[in-house]
Amino acid sequence: MKNYSIILLGLGVLLLLSAALSVCVGAVKINAGELRSLVAYRLSISDEINFTRQQEAVLFSLRLPRVLLGILVGSSLAIAGAAMQGLFRNPLAEPGLIGISSGASLFAVLVIVLEVKFLTIAFGYHALAIAAFAGACITTFLVYSVANVGGKTNIATLLLVGIAINALAGSFTGLLTYMSSDEQLRNITFWSLGSLGGASWKTVTSILPFVVIPLIGLPLIAKQLNAIALGEAQAGHMGVNVSLLKKLIIVLATLGVGASVAVSGVIGFVGLVVPHILRMAFSADNRLIIPGSALLGATVLVLADLVSRTLVAPAELPIGILTAMIGTPIFMYIIFRERRKRNWN
């Protein structure tokens, strides 16, 4: 555990450096001295003003909420992916397998295409995010209910039902996309590619409770996930309440990922790839993988967002495109690695 603490500390420092870099780089540049002065002034540590008012406005109104949103979204996607891989005992598992992303997409597309006015009147700008979060929860509940037989949930059945519901949600999303107008199609495309462009302090505070609960809860059950790796029967003999553990992981993953997809759109591969990087670099112990994934996932998304908003400035590249570009080669490597290990033909 001592080595794990050092690794986690290193990942925490890496996240802080990434966040500092991200708030400093952009159309309005802020150097290290100006950043230090800005933070000290805002915290009332110093009265020295070594920055411009423009830099202050850009940092606190635009970049800081965007970086914080990236940290929340990246950490929730990665920690949920790590927990799912532990639960399914499958390195290719991710939150999307139980319908979280497809459900959120379906409900978001429903709101865009059908222009559900009562939601817009009731929730205004947040109508799309609330619909997406509701879709993630409803789809996950449906998958779990169908897979649950006699109060017991078999992991293989859960996986197969998840695939079926994902396909069904995907077909309805495709049908709605086909029916959409040109403007609606543009909105659907931008939402589905993922972006942190809508970040604000209001967005950050709205998803904060949904992300903090899994970030605290999932590391606490890492030891039980290690027992699951030996098999459900063995974990039961070791005193683990397997049924309760499954429900906890599904609920916590749905909370974090559902809220993240609702505000940022669909950002793929973070939940799949980040736990693997840690597993290949250090250990398969979930006491490291679960909290480490949260820190590394946040770092990856903060850096990906930095690239997305500076690479083609003043335009912005959808962040989902970048994570797919990075994640696909690693995903292929994982498949070939598993193929060699299990001697697939």
Side-chain angles (χ1 to χ4, degrees):
M1 282 299 287
K2 190 179 176 184
N3 287 339
Y4 292 169
S5 301
I6 294 170
I7 294 167
L8 292 174
L9 182 64
L11 290 171
V13 172
L14 184 64
L15 174 58
L16 281 176
L17 291 175
S18 305
L21 179 67
S22 189
V23 296
C24 288
V25 176
V28 176
K29 290 186 171 38
I30 302 171
N31 64 38
E34 290 163 343
L35 178 63
R36 193 168 52 248
S37 176
L38 268 164
V39 174
Y41 181 77
R42 277 298 183 109
L43 295 176
S44 303
I45 297 171
S46 167
D47 290 332
E48 186 186 353
I49 298 178
N50 185 26
F51 53 85
T52 65
R53 291 298 172 193
Q54 186 190 26
Q55 287 174 324
E56 184 181 18
V58 166
L59 177 65
F60 289 104
S61 301
L62 298 176
R63 289 190 195 156
L64 199 53
R66 187 163 179 150
V67 167
L68 289 175
L69 187 65
I71 290 172
L72 291 174
V73 171
S75 59
S76 67
L77 293 177
I79 200 170
M84 284 290 169
Q85 288 172 10
L87 176 65
F88 284 97
R89 285 180 288 155
N90 188 324
L92 303 180
E94 60 147 355
L97 273 180
I98 56 172
I100 301 175
S101 303
S102 60
S105 296
L106 175 59
F107 275 62
V109 173
L110 261 174
V111 170
I112 292 171
V113 175
L114 301 183
E115 296 175 354
V116 187
K117 288 188 178 170
F118 75 91
L119 267 180
T120 311
I121 292 168
F123 302 108
Y125 174 75
H126 297 290
L128 188 64
I130 289 168
F133 182 66
C137 295
I138 291 169
T139 316
T140 308
F141 177 75
L142 183 64
V143 169
Y144 186 79
S145 301
V146 174
N148 191 298
V149 180
K152 292 185 178 177
T153 309
N154 181 280
I155 289 296
T157 309
L158 189 68
L159 181 61
L160 291 171
V161 173
I163 291 170
I165 298 292
N166 270 325
L168 186 64
S171 66
F172 278 113
T173 304
L175 178 64
L176 288 165
T177 305
Y178 176 76
M179 291 164 56
S180 63
S181 65
D182 287 348
E183 187 183 347
Q184 289 167 343
L185 185 60
R186 217 167 19 249
N187 290 335
I188 292 169
T189 304
F190 279 115
W191 188 85
S192 63
L193 289 175
S195 172
L196 300 180
S200 66
W201 287 111
K202 208 170 179 179
T203 316
V204 171
T205 51
S206 68
I207 75 160
L208 188 63
F210 297 102
V211 173
V212 166
I213 293 170
L215 288 180
I216 294 171
L218 288 173
L220 295 177
I221 54 178
K223 201 172 172 184
Q224 287 93 320
L225 269 175
N226 281 345
I228 286 270
L230 302 172
E232 291 187 26
Q234 286 85 345
H237 290 311
M238 292 167 72
V240 176
N241 186 335
V242 177
S243 177
L244 179 64
L245 186 66
K246 288 175 190 170
K247 289 176 189 167
L248 263 178
I249 291 173
I250 290 171
V251 169
L252 293 174
T254 304
L255 270 181
V257 177
S260 299
V261 172
V263 298
S264 65
V266 180
I267 299 175
F269 288 99
V270 175
L272 178 65
V273 168
V274 168
H276 274 293
I277 294 173
L278 289 171
R279 209 170 280 124
M280 288 187 290
F282 302 111
S283 163
D285 191 335
N286 283 302
R287 290 174 298 174
L288 170 68
I289 298 297
I290 299 286
S293 293
L295 292 169
L296 188 58
T299 305
V300 167
L301 205 62
V302 166
L303 292 177
D305 180 57
L306 173 62
V307 174
S308 80
R309 65 182 171 80
T310 55
L311 192 64
V312 290
E316 189 175 308
L317 199 62
I319 198 168
I321 292 176
L322 277 174
T323 55
M325 281 179 179
I326 298 165
T328 302
I330 299 176
F331 184 66
M332 294 300 293
Y333 170 74
I334 292 166
I335 291 174
F336 286 120
R337 189 167 172 263
E338 288 296 311
R339 182 181 170 179
R340 278 199 305 272
K341 200 160 72 177
R342 302 186 185 198
N343 198 24
W344 292 347
N345 291 320

